[in-house]
Amino acid sequence: MPANDYVYDFSQGSKDMKDLLGGKGANLAEMTRLGLPVPPGFTITTEACRTYLANGKEPPDLRVQVTKALRHLEDEVERRLGDRHDPLLVSVRSGAKFSMPGMMETVLNIGLNDASVIGLAEASGSDRFAWDSYRRLIQMFGKTVLDIDGDRFAESLDKAKSAKGVTSDVELDVTDLMALVQRFKDIVREESGRDFPQHPREQLDLAIRAVFDSWNTDRARIYRRRERIPHDLGTAVNICTMVFGNLGETSGTGVAFTRDPSTGAPGAYVDYLVNAQGEDVVAGIRNTLSLDDLAGIDPAAHTELMQVMRRLETHYRDLCDIEFTIERGKLWMLQTRVGKRTAAAAFRIATQLVDEHLITEDEALERVTGSQLAQLMFPQFDTGTPRTLLTKAMAASPGAAVGKVVFDSATAVAWADRGEDVILVRRETNPDDLEGMIAAVGILTSRGGKTSHAAVVARGMGKTCVCGAEELDVDVAAKLVRVDDQTILEGDVISIDGSTGEVFLGEMPVKPSPVVTYLEHGVENAVADADEETQLLVKAVDRLLAHADAVRRLRVRANADTAEDAARARHLGAEGIGLTRTEHMFLGDRRVLIERVILSESGDERDDALAALLPLQTHDFTELLEAMDGLPVTIRLLDPPLHEFLPNYTELSVRVAVAHEQGNPDAMELALLAAVERLHESNPMLGLRGVRLGLVVPGLFALQVRAIAEAAVARIKAGGDPQVEIMVPLVGSVMELHLIADETDGIVHEISDREGIKLHIPVGTMIELPRAALTARRIADVAEFFSFGTNDLTQTTWGFSRDDVEAAFFAAYLDKGVFTVSPFESLDVDGVGRLVQIAAEEGRATRPDLKLGVCGEHGGDPDSVHFFHKVGLDYVSCSPFRVPVARLEAGRAALDTGVSDTR
């Protein structure tokens, strides 16, 4: 077809032309090509829509091409649009490349007017049907094309039913409908300032334009943002010969699925209405009938429908969603598409189709997603019970949690130790809250977003979290929280849903996920005493995850800071640890020691503190290496923003001022305040942290290196196989890494010689600064591996303060289309991803065997995993709970490029 052809007859397209014809148009063309009973029609392309939206008017050739297509259609059906005798009527429907149900416009019965309604009545033999069709047209046209408030029409319809003393549209007779048509025409004139158009072609042209315009409605744009559909695709417009399900008891309309879209169970699923048009099924104005009911009402149509459904599922090799109409016993197919389904149905259907030899295992793996697997892993509330909603905020970490409200970490730990389930409620969390966060079953904050401390840590632990609940007035001192006129005290029970962001008063029943039981304890434990549907689901997940493991190239590690986290990650399929954050090991009783190391101006005092920390750190690392014996463990040297390990400057200043005012100055407090003031930073995230801290504070990194090496020796002596790696954080210059690597080599050789045990502990770096990425060729002279810290790399590339920007303006950026998704949730491929690619290529140009991984939150994001596979990384590392998701997506990524494991 020439490039300027904007109109395609249904007989000219195919299912592979969705870019041009949209999903609906391409599938109508495919069904026509298959010889199925599709009403004749044509499609106006997405290219025409894009031209219209860009220029504010239709392409010059469009009107002529529509005329030619319309005349061809009229000749085919031997009727004329809007004719006075047996008129041709058409529907005008949107149809984008990606399904956007209910987001754009549809107008039925185009061609009816004051004259053709008489011809329709004569041709159909039913005055009531004709006038009902006319009132539907005016109602839809007024709302959709003329932008009249739909309530005006609905109120008039309700008044007509009330005056008649009936409750259903079908109970209105022809006289009622004729009066209603007149009332609807009056509404059009009152609201639009013009009469309802009587010329059929004017109706058609205006309806086409309305469908084009509906691409950019607020609801359509919001839907596309949520579903990450590009805004520049445009919609096709489908003009289709009307067939009528509202022609009496031998007519009807329905929606069918070739399998149950909720559970994935085999067998067709049908909702059918007698004497109705398509929108009646969707609107739910009457209870629908089942497939068995249809078999009793119209056996011949039922048989044909079943044959068509089987043929379509075989042809598309997938669950099909079908819209159909029966007009006086004649079946017509109005739409088909690959049907949307739940996460559970996706896994079950994929494996069923493999067993039925319709698809391969590779194709089955491509039919499911990591996001769907994640949905199956989180517990859910039983929504069938009564509930009291307190507020709804940001769904930061999925899951369902019920517990007693506590307001501080110490109480959370104490209550959890005595067997209580608690939910930690804070304005926001900080590293000092970690023990309480671990003890709690869920975390609720009134501030922060999806990348706040609470959210990041909660996701890392697989802990339910709701953030940014601004309606909550959290009073930690009084140990209460207010929301509207409700006051919740410490000890009161609440329920939080990390999948929806909802917070409920009282206890909501929770249903555990059998998929998590399977992942942690195996298939047999998960299916024991389970119902048949659960057994089939677990086995389907196991099967596809095993296939992903077989084909993937990317290895999957976990971010784990404790032996317990490491053991859980290993159960979930982790092939090592990609990031151990050692700063978490210095909280609690150890904090005073690390404060002395950082603040001390006396070498002896610092050495004493380091000596006290050494056996503690050695024990930490020994346990970690034991849990991951035989697998790589990457330990990041200390990398806190400095203020996290210093006394709070404001609180300390207040204490000193109060003591001074009372005439009781404390010399130690004064000295401590002077030290804190000396180290106080305006922007701690870009201050004295990471490698800078290791170079400035004598002995700090040496302590950790020594503890790591001694832990490795201890494991070797115990018969273990430690595969530990040391990662230096926040490197921006190769000289920084040189200095730390030289110090590390000296310590490792010293311990190796002393113990008579050969140690090889690779030293690498996190790439989390743009300068590091751009000078990767030089840094690779020293680094034996790169691990991309994409959280901080995103922060430093964009110039964002992660703790501030999401709440401040991300909502506006998403609304204005600056983002389609937060760059902290899914990797910014064009910016941050480009830096990753540069560093990977240039690092390996220097050192071809350079090992490359990622340890930011993006390591568990499905879309980001595909990018990391594409640019040649060796592994991704993510929170233990996300390991199965990353495994699945790594397998899917290998199939995307045709590259799979060759082991």
Side-chain angles (χ1 to χ4, degrees):
M1 288 280 175
N4 63 346
D5 271 5
Y6 295 117
V7 178
Y8 285 66
D9 189 84
F10 288 168
S11 63
Q12 295 173 312
S14 74
K15 65 181 176 64
D16 299 322
M17 298 174 66
K18 291 181 181 178
D19 285 341
L20 189 63
L21 303 180
K24 187 175 296 180
N27 288 324
L28 283 167
E30 188 73 9
M31 289 194 293
T32 300
R33 195 172 66 84
L34 291 173
L36 299 180
V38 176
F42 57 90
T43 299
I44 300 172
T45 66
T46 56
E47 184 181 350
C49 177
R50 290 192 294 271
T51 302
Y52 171 82
L53 294 174
N55 301 329
K57 60 182 180 180
E58 293 88 348
D61 297 341
L62 181 60
R63 185 174 178 81
V64 171
Q65 292 183 31
V66 169
T67 299
K68 291 173 63 178
L70 179 60
R71 289 194 174 192
H72 175 78
L73 175 61
E74 290 174 333
D75 292 342
E76 184 176 358
V77 300
E78 298 181 345
R79 283 179 285 159
R80 299 290 180 265
L81 182 68
D83 195 24
R84 292 172 179 269
H85 306 287
D86 193 11
L88 166 66
L89 305 181
V90 297
S91 62
V92 178
R93 298 175 182 263
S94 61
K97 176 181 179 180
F98 300 107
S99 178
M100 297 172 54
M103 294 302 108
M104 293 183 292
E105 304 298 359
T106 292
V107 184
L108 306 180
N109 304 329
I110 290 288
L112 277 176
N113 55 29
D114 293 347
S116 61
V117 67
I118 306 301
L120 181 63
E122 292 173 353
S124 65
S126 171
D127 289 348
R128 188 198 178 282
F129 156 72
W131 286 95
D132 182 49
S133 298
Y134 196 15
R135 72 92 186 165
R136 289 173 185 264
L137 168 62
I138 300 172
Q139 184 172 359
M140 295 182 78
F141 193 95
K143 180 176 180 295
T144 298
V145 179
L146 302 178
D147 200 25
I148 298 171
D149 186 351
D151 288 344
R152 290 294 311 274
F153 300 106
E155 288 166 3
S156 294
L157 180 58
D158 288 342
K159 287 179 181 178
K161 289 187 288 188
S162 178
K164 184 77 171 180
V166 299
T167 59
S168 173
D169 301 1
V170 297
E171 296 174 278
L172 297 176
D173 62 25
V174 65
T175 302
D176 303 320
L177 292 168
M178 291 174 72
L180 199 56
V181 163
Q182 185 56 52
R183 178 60 194 136
F184 281 6
K185 288 162 70 176
D186 291 341
I187 292 172
V188 168
R189 187 180 306 107
E190 293 165 9
E191 295 291 333
S192 70
R194 62 158 296 170
D195 290 330
F196 176 77
Q198 292 293 305
H199 197 290
R201 182 56 191 268
E202 184 183 7
Q203 293 176 9
L204 179 62
D205 291 340
L206 290 174
I208 292 169
R209 187 174 299 171
V211 172
F212 284 160
D213 287 333
S214 71
W215 175 256
N216 277 332
T217 60
D218 288 343
R219 69 171 186 251
R221 295 186 69 84
I222 291 169
Y223 182 88
R224 290 198 296 275
R225 282 199 299 271
R226 187 183 69 182
E227 298 297 320
R228 303 186 194 179
I229 298 172
H231 289 303
D232 60 357
L233 298 180
T235 181
V237 183
N238 300 288
I239 289 86
C240 185
T241 302
M242 282 295 304
V243 290
F244 299 97
N246 56 336
L247 267 171
E249 297 303 308
T250 60
S251 302
T253 191
V255 175
F257 292 89
T258 55
R259 298 172 195 244
D260 189 326
S262 178
T263 66
Y269 177 88
V270 174
D271 281 333
Y272 182 69
L273 278 179
V274 174
N275 196 20
Q277 282 199 306
E279 70 270 21
D280 297 337
V281 177
V282 178
I285 59 174
R286 286 190 273 151
N287 291 331
T288 58
L289 303 176
S290 68
L291 184 64
D292 290 340
D293 294 325
L294 176 59
I297 295 167
D298 193 333
H302 169 270
T303 299
E304 186 180 4
L305 177 63
M306 294 299 295
Q307 292 170 344
V308 169
M309 290 172 69
R310 177 178 171 83
R311 186 173 179 190
L312 285 173
E313 185 175 88
T314 301
H315 184 70
Y316 282 87
R317 301 184 305 131
D318 206 344
L319 163 72
C320 287
D321 171 0
I322 296 163
E323 294 179 19
F324 66 94
T325 283
I326 298 173
E327 182 184 87
R328 290 179 171 168
K330 168 65 176 174
L331 176 68
W332 293 99
M333 307 305 297
L334 304 183
Q335 179 174 328
T336 191
R337 59 190 170 201
V338 172
K340 294 184 181 296
R341 65 210 73 184
T342 65
F347 278 86
R348 283 191 60 188
I349 290 170
T351 52
Q352 288 168 13
L353 294 174
V354 172
D355 292 339
E356 294 169 21
H357 309 294
L358 280 175
I359 63 174
T360 65
E361 281 197 299
D362 282 356
E363 289 173 311
L365 182 55
E366 291 175 319
R367 300 278 178 92
V368 296
T369 68
S371 297
Q372 290 170 330
L373 179 57
Q375 290 175 37
L376 296 177
M377 292 172 63
F378 293 114
Q380 296 180 337
F381 286 127
D382 185 351
T383 56
T385 59
R387 49 189 177 164
T388 302
L389 180 67
L390 289 175
T391 188
K392 184 172 183 179
M394 187 170 292
S397 182
V402 179
K404 292 183 177 180
V405 170
V406 296
F407 293 95
D408 62 81
S409 183
T411 305
V413 172
W415 288 23
D417 284 346
R418 69 188 194 207
E420 303 264 10
D421 285 339
V422 298
I423 291 179
L424 181 62
V425 179
R426 304 283 288 165
R427 292 191 185 95
E428 69 266 319
T429 63
N430 60 60
D432 284 339
D433 293 316
L434 186 64
E435 288 184 332
M437 296 173 73
I438 292 171
V441 295
I443 299 111
L444 171 63
T445 69
S446 61
R447 300 175 185 166
K450 286 188 177 181
T451 54
S452 64
H453 177 269
V456 171
V457 174
R459 283 197 295 272
M461 296 187 294
K463 192 86 66 175
T464 301
C465 181
V466 173
C467 287
E470 296 178 354
E471 293 179 342
L472 300 183
D473 178 12
V474 179
D475 189 335
V476 174
K479 296 194 172 185
L480 59 83
V481 57
R482 301 180 185 89
V483 52
D484 295 329
D485 58 353
Q486 190 93 38
T487 299
I488 295 105
L489 304 176
E490 185 169 77
D492 289 347
V493 175
I494 63 171
S495 302
I496 64 173
D497 190 332
S499 301
T500 65
E502 292 173 310
V503 180
F504 302 100
L505 182 64
E507 181 174 353
M508 288 279 292
V510 173
K511 298 184 295 185
S513 166
V515 172
V516 171
T517 304
Y518 142 68
L519 289 166
E520 292 187 329
H521 305 292
V523 173
E524 290 186 5
N525 288 308
V527 301
D529 302 321
D531 58 37
E532 183 181 7
E533 281 192 5
T534 299
Q535 293 183 30
L536 291 170
L537 171 61
V538 167
K539 290 176 181 177
V541 172
D542 176 60
R543 185 171 169 183
L544 292 178
L545 200 51
H547 187 61
D549 288 338
V551 301
R552 63 186 167 88
R553 178 188 61 77
L554 271 177
R555 302 298 93 195
V556 178
R557 302 189 193 180
N559 300 339
D561 304 338
T562 66
E564 292 78 12
D565 286 347
R568 187 183 191 203
R570 194 161 189 164
H571 283 305
L572 292 169
E575 298 159 306
I577 294 177
L579 172 65
T580 292
R581 305 175 184 89
T582 56
E583 51 271 17
H584 289 166
M585 299 174 181
F586 292 97
L587 300 176
D589 294 340
R590 304 183 191 182
R591 176 162 180 160
V592 65
L593 295 173
I594 198 68
E595 282 183 8
R596 289 178 191 169
V597 171
I598 295 172
L599 293 174
S600 176
E601 296 183 0
S602 161
D604 291 342
E605 185 179 3
R606 182 184 301 114
D607 290 345
D608 289 345
L610 290 169
L613 284 168
L614 179 60
L616 301 175
Q617 278 273 269
T618 303
H619 177 73
D620 293 334
F621 296 141
T622 302
E623 285 191 331
L624 197 66
L625 294 176
E626 182 179 2
M628 276 289 171
D629 193 61
L631 295 175
V633 176
T634 304
I635 298 175
R636 182 179 72 184
L637 300 181
L638 193 65
D639 183 30
L642 187 60
H643 70 285
E644 291 185 5
F645 284 139
L646 297 178
N648 183 279
Y649 176 68
T650 302
E651 292 177 1
L652 184 58
S653 299
V654 170
R655 288 204 307 270
V656 169
V658 170
H660 179 76
E661 185 69 24
Q662 294 174 345
N664 297 310
D666 186 315
M668 290 185 64
E669 290 261 278
L670 284 169
L672 185 60
L673 178 60
V676 170
E677 285 177 335
R678 174 170 51 86
L679 295 173
H680 180 70
E681 297 176 322
S682 298
N683 190 346
M685 293 301 293
L686 296 178
L688 185 58
R689 55 172 289 210
V691 67
R692 304 160 192 169
L693 194 64
L695 291 172
V696 169
V697 179
L700 181 58
F701 277 10
L703 155 75
Q704 294 194 292
V705 171
R706 186 172 297 277
I708 291 167
E710 293 189 352
V713 166
R715 286 300 304 142
I716 292 171
K717 287 181 176 180
D721 179 22
Q723 297 185 19
V724 66
E725 305 168 337
I726 292 175
M727 182 158 65
V728 183
L730 212 72
V731 165
S733 162
V734 67
M735 184 53 66
E736 293 172 318
L737 187 59
H738 258 303
L739 294 169
I740 299 299
D742 289 347
E743 184 180 24
T744 297
D745 289 345
I747 294 169
V748 171
H749 280 114
E750 173 205 325
I751 294 172
S752 181
D753 291 343
R754 184 190 73 201
E755 299 292 340
I757 294 175
K758 186 175 181 179
L759 293 175
H760 174 63
I761 301 179
V763 176
T765 185
M766 286 186 82
I767 303 294
E768 48 193 329
L769 296 174
R771 191 181 193 280
L774 295 172
T775 60
R777 190 184 300 270
R778 296 182 63 194
I779 291 175
D781 279 328
V782 181
E784 295 176 76
F785 64 87
F786 287 170
S787 181
F788 293 94
T790 52
N791 295 349
D792 274 354
L793 188 57
T794 297
Q795 192 168 219
T796 54
T797 299
W798 278 92
F800 287 156
S801 169
R802 187 172 58 194
D803 293 333
D804 300 320
V805 295
E806 188 164 54
F809 61 81
F810 268 30
Y813 267 39
L814 290 165
D815 185 60
K816 295 177 184 297
V818 179
F819 302 145
T820 57
V821 64
S822 164
F824 291 113
E825 290 182 43
S826 193
L827 190 77
D828 161 30
V829 171
D830 295 333
V832 179
R834 180 72 181 118
L835 289 174
V836 171
Q837 186 172 9
I838 289 170
E841 291 173 354
E842 297 198 356
R844 280 187 171 153
T846 297
R847 188 187 291 264
D849 62 347
L850 184 71
K851 186 161 53 179
L852 301 173
V854 62
C855 60
E857 287 246 317
H858 301 100
D861 171 64
D863 289 343
S864 304
V865 169
H866 286 248
F867 174 79
F868 297 137
H869 174 93
K870 180 180 177 182
V871 297
L873 269 58
D874 296 302
Y875 69 87
V876 296
S877 188
C878 54
S879 65
F881 198 71
R882 300 290 288 181
V883 164
V885 173
R887 288 165 55 197
L888 188 81
E889 286 297 342
R892 298 181 71 242
L895 299 179
D896 280 350
T897 58
V899 178
S900 61
D901 200 342
T902 56
R903 291 175 304 168

